[in-house]
Every structure is written in C-alpha cells, then in structure tokens.
Amino acid sequence: MAEKGPTRQRRGRPRQAEVARLAGVSQTTVSLVLGGNKQGIALHEDTRARVLAAARDLGYVPDPAARRLAAARNNLLGVFSFTATFPTAVEHSYYPILVGVEQEAAAQGYDLVLFTGSSPGGAQAGDPGALNRVRLADGCLFLGRHVPDDQLRQLVADGYPAVHIGRRDELEGLAWVGADYVAASAEVVRHLAGLGHRRIVLVREDDDAPASTDREHGFRTALAACACPSAEAGPAAVVRTAHPAHDITPAWVRDRLAEGVTAFVAEETDTGAAWRALHEAVAAAGLTAPGDLSLALLGSPPADLATARPPTGFDIPRADLGAAAVRMLTAQLSGQEHTEPLVACGFRAGSTAGPPPPGRTG
C-alpha cells in the first residue's frame, strides 16, 4: 500500500501555496513577505515570522526562472478596464483618469498598453484566465467597480505589480489609490443642512462597490452630526435600487415630498443611473430644483446631463487619481515603498440646492 500523509516523499520544489498552508496564512501574504513587501502593506511581525519559519522548514527557495522573468522590464504599463466599453471617449467619466495616467506615465518614461477586457465581442474580464494577458506589461492599473476578485487575487499572489484606481481594500495585498468620498459626501450633506434641510434622502445603486459604501458612510455620518431627522429614519434615509429607472418615479418623488423630504441626493456611478432616474423623475413630476426641492449629486453628472446649471455636489480629481496610480505602480516596479493619501474632492456649490420652500423647513 502506498504511503500517505506527511511521510510521503516530496517531488519537486515547494510552492508558495504550501508555505501558506503551513503558516496558516493566505498565499497573498506569503508573496508579500517573501517578496520583501514592496507594496508597503501593514503586516504583523508574528505573521511575517510564521511565513519565514514555514519557508525554512519546507526548504522554499524562489524559482530562479521566475525571478529572471520578473526582473525583465520592457517599460510598458497596462491599463485594464472592467467597464462595458473602454473609456477612450471624452464624455466617459473615466477619460480624465486616463489623461492623468498617460501624462504621468510619459513623465516617468513608460508607454501604455490598453486591455479591452469588457468590450463587446472581445475577451471578457470574467472569463477564466482573461486577466493573464496583462502580464505582457511590467505592471497594470485596473479600473472599474465590478472586479473578478479571484483572478485579481491570483495576480497579486503571484507578485505581479498591480494598482486599482478606486478603493479596493477587500482584496488583501492589492494596492489602490482613491478619492475621499466619505469626507466629500459629508460636506454636501452639511451644505444642505446649512440651507435648512432636515429630511434628506440618498438614492444609490444596489451593490456593495466600495465607492458607493464610502458615499453612504459620509452621508449617514453627516446626517447624524447635523441631528437631521433623516438620520433617525435609519434605512429609510437611503434608497438602494437595482433598477433606478423603474423605482425612482414622479410618484415616488411626490410621496417623499408628502412625507416631509425636501432634498434628494444621488451617487455618481459608471452608468449614472441613480442621478439620471432622479433627475428625470423630478422633471416629469413638473417640479424644479431648487424651487420645489433641492438636488445634489455625489460626483459629476453624465455627459448627456451636463448643462449650464451644474448640480450641487463635488468634483472628483480624476486626472490626479490617474497620476497617483502610476506613481504607486512604478514605485512597486522599482522596489520602493510608496503610499498615496486619499485624494480630496472639491465641493461644487452648483445651482440645484437652496433653502426649503416657504412653509417647509424639512
């Protein structure tokens, strides 16, 4: 009978996955520790010690061929988008990010490779192994709300240099740069409260994208700090909908006004669906902002709704985000520790918010 268990003779060199099992940590953590933690991720010293001890016990040594491959550089940075169409049109909200990426990459002597991972008719980002194509570049920047976690996690575990543009801290070891949506959203609510609004509703898409979560957190924090009755309403202060065009209707807006709501806030997303639905419902109801109610947008409007009357809200410094992401990625490539602070968003007074109508204090 063949031997089983730990007495079985090993074949071949030990792998990082075996080190991870012995140390009781993820393969991503092993990759970080054995790679010198060039990303600068915070790790407990006892975790690092367990990984190193496990590597010694197993006799783990890096694959020299893999090391030579990793050391090869061709001065190419990849950009991979998870949106339906690669954002190369000026009206796309990600376009200014690409401008910042291009300018900073050129300044640092890198060329760009654009990967159309979600374009119709092409390879889809969710297909098995689709992200492996980015290995043609020295490192890659990723854009988009809905990310195939398993594939991106594997890239990071393999030590491939990667940066996500937008908060993505649920993937251990993945570097990211982001805008301070919490502070910016809170500032918008404080502005509305300062105008006299006390019952405010946020409309957001029904997903758990970090950008949406951050906006809601800032919204709720400011409601509570301003002692707005909306804060006491709990879930009613935030409307999550998977189908904004179906759920946010003229009748819905009128019902909320009848309940005492005087201001409505929507989040910006890739699709702009929440703001579009709210904007169109108000118009279809025969209402105006700021005459009958106030409107605010946590971000910038879609290009087709950008008018001479900008909505109250904030502007996302997209070009700065793109440049910051390139700096972080090139630091990884050079083995330097580098962190970028959250980029502040600029408040936009706009023209869609004013005091509540006479006789309605919110």
Side-chain angles (χ1 to χ4, degrees):
M1 178 179 289
E3 292 185 9
K4 299 180 180 180
T7 59
R8 189 173 182 177
Q9 189 173 9
R10 175 187 301 280
R11 294 181 180 180
R13 69 172 66 243
R15 301 169 61 84
Q16 285 192 3
E18 297 172 78
V19 177
R21 283 194 293 271
L22 182 59
V25 299
S26 69
Q27 189 172 337
T28 300
T29 298
V30 171
S31 178
L32 286 170
V33 173
L34 298 183
N37 193 11
K38 296 175 182 177
Q39 295 90 336
I41 305 298
L43 293 171
H44 290 294
E45 184 57 36
D46 60 341
T47 300
R48 179 176 176 277
R50 287 206 316 275
V51 170
L52 294 176
R56 285 194 300 270
D57 291 346
L58 291 172
Y60 173 86
V61 292
D63 185 339
R67 270 197 160 180
R68 285 195 299 273
L69 181 62
R73 293 286 179 261
N74 53 22
N75 280 7
L76 292 177
L77 302 182
V79 181
F80 194 107
S81 172
F82 299 104
T83 57
T85 303
F86 199 84
T88 54
V90 293
E91 65 269 16
H92 196 291
S93 62
Y94 284 165
Y95 179 82
I97 293 178
L98 292 180
V99 172
V101 167
E102 181 183 22
Q103 291 175 344
E104 186 67 22
Q108 299 209 30
Y110 284 87
D111 291 314
L112 298 177
V113 180
L114 309 182
F115 295 95
T116 54
S118 295
S119 294
Q124 299 299 296
D127 293 345
L131 264 60
N132 283 332
R133 292 175 295 130
V134 304
R135 296 178 190 266
L136 294 169
D138 298 335
C140 192
L141 305 172
F142 293 91
L143 287 159
R145 290 164 65 87
H146 304 293
V147 177
D149 291 356
D150 54 341
Q151 293 193 52
L152 196 50
R153 186 178 289 111
Q154 186 60 54
L155 284 176
V156 175
D158 291 344
Y160 181 75
V163 174
H164 190 272
I165 300 178
R167 184 171 72 81
R168 194 61 63 176
D169 53 5
E170 73 276 17
L171 288 182
E172 182 183 5
L174 175 64
W176 54 268
V177 297
D180 194 348
Y181 294 133
V182 175
S185 299
E187 185 174 7
V188 172
V189 173
R190 287 194 297 270
H191 176 74
L192 293 173
L195 291 171
H197 297 278
R198 291 296 177 268
R199 294 192 180 275
I200 308 168
V201 169
L202 167 66
V203 178
R204 59 166 290 188
E205 293 188 28
D206 189 20
D207 62 30
D208 293 315
S212 296
T213 301
D214 285 351
R215 285 177 168 94
E216 179 175 338
H217 177 61
F219 174 84
R220 289 189 179 278
T221 299
L223 279 185
C226 295
C228 293
S230 297
E232 302 170 5
V238 177
V239 175
R240 294 178 60 137
T241 170
H243 307 287
H246 178 268
D247 297 331
I248 308 302
T249 64
W252 179 88
V253 171
R254 289 193 176 280
D255 287 344
R256 301 293 80 74
L257 292 177
E259 294 168 355
V261 174
T262 59
F264 297 84
V265 180
E267 65 166 347
E268 176 195 349
T269 63
D270 296 349
T271 65
W275 173 251
R276 189 184 309 279
L278 182 58
H279 185 270
E280 292 177 355
V282 168
L287 303 170
T288 62
D292 301 305
L293 49 78
S294 284
L295 295 176
L297 174 60
L298 305 182
S300 301
D304 59 315
L305 293 182
T307 67
R309 297 182 64 249
T312 299
F314 60 78
D315 294 313
I316 303 168
R318 289 183 167 85
D320 291 344
L321 283 174
V326 171
R327 289 193 295 269
M328 183 174 287
L329 184 58
T330 54
Q332 286 188 32
L333 292 171
S334 61
Q336 301 174 357
E337 289 191 9
H338 182 81
T339 58
E340 291 276 349
L342 287 174
V343 180
C345 299
F347 175 75
R348 183 183 61 243
S351 58
T352 58
R360 301 187 64 202
T361 61

